[in-house]
Amino acid sequence: MITPVLALAVIGGGCVIFALFGFFLSFASGVPDFFDKRPARKYQGQNLLIFRTLTAKLATIGIVMAVISVIFTATIISEGAGLVFRGLFESRAAESGCFDLYLGSEDDTPLSEDYFDYIRASIPMEQSLRYNVYHTGDSQVLDYVEESGEDYFRYYEQDPVLRYSDYAALRAIAGYPPVELKPGEYLIHCWSYLGEYLAGFPQPISVGGAQLTLGGVHTEHLMQDYNASNGTQFTLVVPDNAAEGLPVHHYAYAAKTVQPVTEDQFYGLYWIHHRLEEQDLTRSYDTIRAKAMEEADAASWTALSAFPLFYLALALTITAATILTIQQLSETERYRRQFALLQKLGMARQEMGRALGRQFAIYYAMPAVPPVLIGVPFILHLAHAPEPGVMVGMSSPRVIVLISLGIFFLIYAIYILLAYTSLKRSVLPN
């Protein structure tokens, strides 16, 4: 069954292909008409020589150039999509796997002791912490986050809270430097994209009867992705005495292990959860995360999705650039006769080299410029599709666009340079 989105995508792709073919098939007739209406430009510099040669060539290979432009469009989109997927998987793994081992309950039901019996028997620990994630009873900061203009999804109904002593221990477990909480202050720990906005939170908050002012914002990864975590993309860190008596949102456990958690150990914990769920069908689903498993999953998904797209982009770029270069080098004899005639007419060799270079630049730019104009908006839109805060840093949309274009034009430039050097040596008179 064809969905409306798929139908629109097919129609859009068809329009793009039609536009590219129309442009290249009309170029051979459009350029002469352009210069006929502007005779001053026609005979200016080397325009007549350059565009006469190009129009003659495109009259015979217009369809080939259109096909190559379509291939280049697919190349740039494939590179961008591969980088988006890679960034998506790595970013989610970094957030979900910031602790060697993490357990979280979906509600205010304590984590089963069966988990901890298994951990004590099977997984050696360096540091560990059992703690509670609280909520304030109101949504003052949540409401402020929702006004940020980002597409923030609200998993919590009230502002999530961590005690400062628990937060300090979690930073130590994750390997982050310690931070200070001064009397009468609270901290915010959030995803990086919210850091600047939350730093401007305008008013004090009341937690546990204490009036607190904002003392700082920190943005390291701290397992803040879903409901059974340390807040969804942000949490408030308050003095221990202010957290006393607050409602418990859920129970959690974080640990630094002596060795990375193995697959057998990880699924041993999942087997316990499965058994507990069978014993009580009303039990909520506990969250279990391990850094080693998150990294392995990210690498696996990258290999399955991003790597084939990179390989496809490389193959398409090399194929199309090779076709263009063969087409250009096949004209070696005609270029040689042309420049021999120009030499007899008195054109200097330096002037001939300049004309050949400009002709080369236009010839190779023509099939590459339309794909850039089509591919860049597509990549930007695709990179903005995941939830806010995922595509940041080296995976931000602008960086992905720059890397995609950089890889494409690097490979393309190598072919252009080799073809130009070879042709210049072969066709210009000594």
Side-chain angles (χ1 to χ4, degrees), residues 1 72 85 174 201 208 212 244 316 338 344 353 377 412:
M1 180 178 179
F72 282 163
F85 289 139
F201 187 66
L212 304 172
E244 295 296 333
L316 291 176
Q338 174 181 283
K344 292 178 181 179
Y412 199 36

Side-chain angles (χ1 to χ4, degrees), residues 162-176:
L162 286 174
R163 298 191 308 170
Y164 173 68
S165 60
D166 293 335
Y167 176 68
L170 290 175
R171 291 185 66 89
I173 290 171
Y176 304 144

Side-chain angles (χ1 to χ4, degrees), residues 249-404:
H249 184 272
H250 67 273
Y251 295 84
Y253 171 82
K256 180 180 181 181
T257 58
V258 175
Q259 299 291 336
V261 176
T262 66
E263 185 174 350
D264 289 340
Q265 292 168 340
F266 183 75
Y267 284 108
L269 291 169
Y270 257 107
W271 181 85
I272 293 172
H273 173 263
H274 179 69
R275 175 169 53 80
L276 294 171
E277 193 177 44
E278 286 185 337
Q279 294 173 1
D280 183 4
L281 297 179
T282 63
R283 182 182 179 84
S284 297
Y285 191 82
D286 297 328
T287 294
I288 304 174
R289 296 278 191 270
K291 178 185 289 187
M293 297 302 297
E294 295 295 327
E295 292 175 348
D297 287 345
S300 176
W301 282 109
T302 299
L304 289 173
S305 59
F307 178 76
L309 288 170
F310 290 146
Y311 181 81
L312 174 64
L314 178 63
L316 291 176
T317 304
I318 292 175
T319 300
T322 301
I323 294 172
L324 276 177
T325 302
I326 290 173
Q327 285 285 346
Q328 190 72 308
L329 294 180
S330 66
E331 302 288 331
T332 299
E333 187 59 35
R334 185 175 65 82
Y335 278 121
R336 187 181 291 116
R337 291 196 304 268
Q338 174 181 283
F339 285 113
L341 177 61
L342 291 173
Q343 183 186 35
K344 292 178 181 179
L345 294 175
M347 179 179 282
R349 189 177 190 278
Q350 184 179 5
E351 194 73 11
M352 294 181 201
R354 192 178 301 117
L356 181 64
R358 287 185 61 190
Q359 187 170 308
F360 240 71
I362 297 173
Y363 174 79
Y364 277 94
M366 285 184 63
V369 171
V372 171
L373 300 178
I374 296 167
V376 167
F378 182 92
I379 295 170
L380 287 173
H381 181 77
L382 182 64
H384 280 102
E387 63 269 26
V390 172
M391 308 304 295
V392 295
M394 290 301 294
S395 297
S396 62
R398 290 184 180 181
V399 173
I400 286 176
V401 167
L402 291 175
I403 293 175
S404 300

